[in-house]
Amino acid sequence: MPSSVMPTPRRSDDPRSPAAVSTVGLRKSYGDKTVLDGIDLRIPAGSVFALLGPNGAGKTTAVKILSTLVTADGGQAQVAGHDVATSPDGVRAAVGVTGQFSAVDGLITGEENMLLMADLHHLPKHEGRRVTAELLERFDLTEAAKKPASTYSGGMKRRLDIAMTLVGKPRIIFLDEPTTGLDPRSRHNMWQIIRELVSDGVTVFLTTQYLEEADELADRIAVLHEGRIAAEGTADELKRLIPGGHIRLRFTDPDAYQSAASALREATRDDEALALQIPSDGSQRELRSLLDWLDSAGVEADELTMHSPDLDDVFFALTGGNDRTDKKGEAVR
Ligand SMILES: Nc1ncnc2c1ncn2[C@@H]1O[C@H](COP(=O)(O)OP(=O)(O)OP(=O)(O)O)[C@@H](O)[C@H]1O
Ligand SMILES: [Mg+2]
């Protein structure tokens, strides 16, 4: 095993990049309920990491531990090079957290919320005003700046929340369900904001229940299930974990269907629909060889469709139904 590597330029998703967040065997229980049951993570600096899980999976608990709002019962966690247990101040100085439940004070204006954050970060008055104006502008809140935040829409509040998080210029940002409850347009705006943060070099740790969101934004995704990481990898790696990619051929002529079915032995038959499913990785090469084979066999399908598994398939395969990762062998919902 190579013990050291030459210094080479590294991409942010290169596993050799310095870790912004790393955990080993992180555990947390509330009473007799085990919420996190040994979590190992390594998030390279400058990357986007998505922690995916259903309600109650422990996403917020993980964020709270990593941002030092809650202490773990066991294991280790390092954030921005500081241990959360022994150097919480170091962690706090480096991170920003936008919680699942807004930190915005509705009784005061958006601008006042921002200035309050600037005070909390001990920015000199003029610097606080400058940063506030700049961030309000960046998040399209200048016009609403002098109105009470309680009058803001959900999307505006969420933008204000993130703007407040950025006042302290964090290198690592935790976004706990940044788009839950937003309409599609606001969600896309939020995605754009997150991409801009990343292009500034910030590490983003986000939690989400939306597979599409993780697919869209994250360099790496971990699926949290029953207190453990059920799977971890890029969206493509996760999709490859589960079967489901296939090419479907549909026929109208029963004879053509029969002859294709007897020749294509690896195909799954659907005699009712006169359709065949052939497992496929979705590559052009595989599609071409299938088409060549159909041509040479004189088989003509009336319809050919490609199906690739999406993250929803992965998520449900890992967290529900016939759960392949269910080590206890219990019947699950
Ligand atoms: N302070 C607490 N006291 C007792 N139980 C708690 C506490 N905080 C969280 N829990 C429990 O821990 C589990 C995980 O909660 P957590 O909020 O981390 O889940 P989540 O993945 O963020 O869910 P959601 O998608 O609903 O936000 C839940 O069963 C919750 O009831
Ligand atoms: Mg939560």
Side-chain angles (χ1 to χ4, degrees):
M1 201 181 3
S3 58
S4 68
V5 284
M6 293 294 288
T8 47
R10 287 168 186 175
R11 283 165 44 90
S12 61
D13 55 355
D14 185 327
R16 294 169 303 170
S17 295
V21 176
S22 64
T23 72
V24 178
L26 208 57
R27 305 175 63 82
K28 178 75 185 175
S29 301
Y30 286 111
D32 56 8
K33 179 168 176 53
T34 304
V35 179
L36 300 179
D37 191 13
I39 300 290
D40 301 334
L41 293 175
R42 189 183 186 286
I43 304 171
S47 67
V48 182
F49 174 81
L51 187 61
L52 201 64
N55 287 134
K59 303 181 296 295
T60 297
T61 303
V63 166
K64 284 186 170 165
I65 291 172
L66 295 174
S67 55
T68 77
L69 297 173
V70 158
T71 54
D73 299 336
Q76 280 139 27
Q78 295 234 321
V79 177
H82 301 279
D83 191 294
V84 293
T86 58
S87 178
D89 290 342
V91 175
R92 279 182 213 133
V95 308
V97 186
T98 302
Q100 185 172 10
F101 304 102
S102 174
V104 170
D105 182 343
L107 295 177
I108 58 177
T109 69
E111 186 175 50
E112 286 163 346
N113 270 286
M114 293 289 289
L115 292 170
L116 207 58
M117 283 309 280
D119 275 352
L120 285 176
H121 284 283
H122 308 297
L123 296 188
K125 279 275 176 288
H126 66 279
E127 177 67 1
R129 296 217 155 265
R130 192 188 63 75
V131 169
T132 293
E134 191 183 293
L135 285 168
L136 287 173
E137 176 74 36
R138 176 168 167 197
F139 288 100
D140 202 15
L141 289 168
T142 306
E143 220 168 282
K146 306 235 185 275
K147 294 182 187 145
S150 58
T151 65
Y152 289 13
S153 72
M156 288 163 79
K157 266 191 205 136
R158 215 61 78 87
R159 295 206 301 277
L160 178 59
D161 227 345
I162 294 198
M164 287 163 64
T165 303
L166 294 186
V167 168
K169 293 198 171 36
R171 302 305 301 152
I172 302 174
I173 297 184
F174 293 93
L175 299 172
D176 196 2
E177 300 199 24
T179 69
T180 299
L182 297 187
D183 68 27
R185 180 192 295 269
S186 303
R187 169 166 301 154
H188 279 86
N189 287 343
M190 190 56 73
W191 289 354
Q192 196 48 42
I193 288 171
I194 293 170
R195 289 197 189 97
E196 283 168 22
L197 293 176
V198 178
S199 66
D200 291 347
V202 170
T203 306
V204 175
F205 183 119
L206 69 96
T207 74
T208 183
Q209 301 184 33
Y210 301 111
L211 305 134
E212 185 199 4
E213 181 158 295
D215 204 351
E216 193 68 39
L217 293 174
D219 296 306
R220 298 189 75 78
I221 301 165
V223 181
L224 190 58
H225 180 53
E226 295 186 339
R228 291 175 176 268
I229 303 292
E232 203 264 343
T234 64
D236 284 339
E237 283 167 355
L238 293 184
K239 287 174 196 171
R240 257 182 262 131
L241 272 183
I242 62 149
H246 62 265
I247 297 168
R248 183 177 155 94
L249 300 174
R250 205 180 52 76
F251 298 82
T252 44
D253 175 8
D255 292 337
Y257 168 70
Q258 285 303 343
S259 60
S262 50
L264 279 169
R265 253 164 291 140
E266 80 270 39
T268 309
R269 303 168 60 124
D270 181 346
D271 291 343
E272 195 111 337
L274 300 185
L276 296 173
Q277 276 191 15
I278 300 112
S280 163
D281 61 6
S283 69
Q284 185 181 342
R285 190 178 41 75
E286 256 193 26
L287 178 60
R288 180 174 296 124
S289 76
L290 176 68
L291 290 173
D292 286 348
W293 181 88
L294 291 171
D295 277 346
S296 65
V299 174
E300 181 145 352
D302 295 278
E303 189 183 283
L304 182 152
T305 45
M306 311 257 316
H307 299 262
S308 46
D310 61 15
L311 275 181
D312 278 305
D313 295 323
V314 178
F315 189 70
F316 290 118
L318 291 169
T319 66
N322 299 323
D323 188 343
R324 300 188 307 150
T325 66
D326 181 27
K327 294 171 193 72
K328 284 164 276 169
E330 292 168 358
V332 276
R333 300 159 294 274

